[in-house]
Amino acid sequence: VLLVAQLMVILDITAVNIALPSLASDLHLTGSDISWTITSYTLIFGSLLLFGGRAADLLGRRRMFLVGLGIFTASSFASALAGTAGTLFAARAGQGLGAAMLSPAALAIIMSAFQGGQRAKALAAWGAVGGAGAAIGVLVGGLLTEFTDWRMIFYVNLPVAAALAIAALKIIPADTRKPRWKGLDLRGAVLATTSLGAIVFAITQAEGAGWTSIQTHVFGLGGLAGLAAFAALERRTDRPLLRVERLVDRAVGGGLFLMLAVTGSMFGLFLLSSLYLQNVLGWGPLSTGLAFIPL
């Protein structure tokens, strides 16, 4: 049950990449605006993962799993119905919020439900789903876009999520503790997410507004100032989402920097290659999805 939930989260990152040209044409997206179809999901998902993990610890792991699943499902439905770019971006951000609650809660349930060798097997399966899900996602995205419509990528989540909710209520152990609201650090989560969003907005809109424009400077410098304020806030918080001082550790800080470079490059590669293969070389969505599988 937990692995299928994680697979659904991963699928909605890679599958949408394949559908981008069709989606962009339908909703009249051009230039850097196309990238927000992916960015609005991954930005919220990534920046709120720490908060989602904390919420699962304090409010209950199964509770947060089900809440995250509900938000993800409702947002998938809204994405499928989106008639404008703004509506789609907002719905995709909602999917990211649901995923940020669901994914760490599922991993925490694995850590508590399995011990010893069984835990090692469960974690290995969890890691495998991450890699396999990316490959399955490009194939599913290609198939659905080629033979139906890009909206089916979101509609297909609905029956899967309904089955997951029923199975989770029957299989996942119920939370025994009452929810504890103290220590969530909601201020830190909002500040970090807003700051990262401002920086990304400044970069993606700079081509149109100008790199030296007031808009680019306000959002870019404001985002950097927000991250500095987040670091200062976390150092004065009793239970911070991120222990900033750990970033000076070469293993932790260096590892995070390398992962930032790797994932940034890979997401950029997925986006640009999908557009190039379909818009320039004239490949169909299914051929493009198959071409991504070796990667």
Side-chain angles (χ1 to χ4, degrees), residues 32-137:
S32 60
D33 289 343
I34 297 174
S35 67
W36 278 95
T37 309
I38 307 298
T39 303
S40 55
Y41 177 92
T42 52
L43 178 68
I44 300 297
F45 179 29
S47 60
L48 289 181
L49 269 175
L50 289 171
F51 178 76
R54 174 66 56 77
D57 288 340
L58 296 178
L59 305 181
R61 291 162 183 173
R62 191 174 79 161
R63 291 188 193 104
M64 290 308 299
F65 179 86
L66 291 171
V67 169
L69 183 62
I71 293 173
F72 187 89
T73 306
S75 300
S76 295
F77 186 54
S79 297
L81 295 176
T84 64
T87 305
L88 178 63
F89 298 159
R92 289 284 286 163
Q95 280 191 303
L97 174 61
M101 295 179 177
L102 182 156
S103 189
L107 186 55
I109 292 168
I110 286 178
M111 295 298 289
S112 62
F114 298 94
Q115 305 297 327
Q118 290 299 315
R119 178 186 288 179
K121 291 179 182 178
L123 290 175
W126 178 269
V129 162
I136 295 170

Side-chain angles (χ1 to χ4, degrees), residues 54 234 237-247:
R54 174 66 56 77
E234 293 298 278
T237 302
D238 292 335
R239 298 189 62 189
L241 291 176
L242 176 66
R243 297 197 179 278
V244 179
E245 60 272 14
R246 291 208 64 198
L247 297 180

Side-chain angles (χ1 to χ4, degrees), residues 148-166:
T148 57
D149 183 67
W150 63 266
R151 298 177 189 273
M152 280 302 298
I153 292 173
F154 302 112
Y155 277 128
V156 78
N157 289 334
L158 305 184
V160 175
L164 277 174
I166 295 169

